[in-house]
Amino acid sequence: GSGIAASTMLYFVPKDMPEQHKVALRYFLLFFVSITCTYILFILRPFIGMTVGIFFANLFAIVTPLSPLFGIRWRFGRAKHLYRSSLIITYIISLPMLLVIIYLNVPESLWTRVFLININITGIYGYSLRTFIRLKSKEKGGTVLIYGLSVASVSHLVLSIYPLLFVSKDGYASLALVLGIITVVIMLGAVYSFFLEDLIRFHYENSIYDPLTKLFNRRHMLIELDRLAADAIRNHFPISFIMCDIDHF
């Protein structure tokens, strides 16, 4: 449901919006697709085989936190796709393989696997949060996304230390479901908020720039003239204007 709700944003993306913003939005949508696949594969493990289920469920579990990380990077001009990083691809495949090996060779390894996958996810969310705060330092907005990444990081940290406090499988499953729902709801709001900020900024810039010359247009000039004239009157200082007409540019 969250994936369908998030995908509705694609309908409202203007065709001439910068490509890096479009790609960033697709990566944020990949977050919801991946987390949905993780839960589906977790449920289907008895039907598709534990080995296959563990591998692919954990593969999508790793892709889930990596999606907003690459969405953030694209949003701020760090244009590199997830699948073009050999290090990331190796990591995405090797960690689920390690968990499968542990499952096949270590008896009663559930809590070991729980700790490994959740501590890795916690680290990725933490790194995503650090990256976003560093890259957005020159821009306003994005507060909800900070909350979303923080909640996601703390949620998986709690899940990683759960085996140290309790040993109930049903309790873990219930806690994971509740924290997952909370994370998805907050992240959905964060992505909507972030997308709307970009959409508003895009339409505002289109309203004050000339599409041909990329210079400020008449509307922006009149707004600025009113502001400058008001400042001049209020502070009692002179103001001058130079106007010129440029042809054949």
Side-chain angles (χ1 to χ4, degrees), residues 48-220:
I48 62 177
M50 290 296 291
T51 302
V52 174
I54 289 172
F55 178 83
F56 284 104
N58 286 288
L59 185 146
F60 280 107
I62 289 297
V63 172
T64 298
L66 286 171
S67 301
L69 173 61
F70 277 82
I72 291 166
R73 287 179 172 178
W74 270 88
R75 168 60 179 73
F76 292 100
R78 307 293 179 89
K80 185 177 182 180
H81 281 293
L82 183 152
Y83 57 83
R84 292 188 179 277
S85 171
S86 57
L87 179 63
I88 294 295
I89 294 299
T90 302
Y91 175 65
I92 290 173
I93 295 174
S94 61
L95 182 59
M97 288 183 64
L98 174 62
L99 297 175
V100 169
I101 293 171
I102 292 174
Y103 167 73
L104 294 174
N105 295 278
V106 180
E108 302 297 327
S109 61
L110 172 64
W111 298 124
T112 301
R113 289 182 280 116
V114 165
F115 174 79
L116 285 175
I117 189 65
N118 282 294
I119 204 67
N120 274 271
I121 293 174
T122 301
I124 297 171
Y125 277 126
Y127 182 70
S128 300
L129 178 61
R130 175 180 174 274
T131 301
F132 180 66
I133 292 174
R134 178 169 55 85
L135 293 178
K136 77 169 285 291
S137 59
K138 296 182 180 181
E139 291 190 13
K140 297 181 180 179
T143 305
V144 184
L145 186 56
I146 292 176
Y147 293 153
L149 293 172
S150 300
V151 169
S153 182
V154 171
S155 295
H156 284 279
L157 180 61
V158 170
L159 292 174
S160 67
I161 64 175
Y162 178 90
L164 302 176
L165 306 174
F166 309 98
V167 292
S168 171
K169 294 181 181 180
D170 291 337
Y172 173 80
S174 299
L175 181 62
L177 180 61
V178 171
L179 293 178
I181 292 173
I182 293 172
T183 300
V184 166
V185 170
I186 295 177
M187 285 296 292
L188 184 60
V191 173
Y192 264 106
S193 174
F194 207 39
F195 169 70
L196 288 176
E197 287 175 7
D198 279 350
L199 194 61
I200 292 170
R201 185 183 298 111
F202 171 77
H203 286 302
Y204 172 71
E205 290 178 353
N206 276 351
S207 71
I208 63 173
Y209 285 102
D210 178 75
L212 178 62
T213 62
K214 303 302 180 183
L215 300 174
F216 288 122
N217 58 19
R218 179 175 178 272
R219 173 180 176 171
H220 181 74

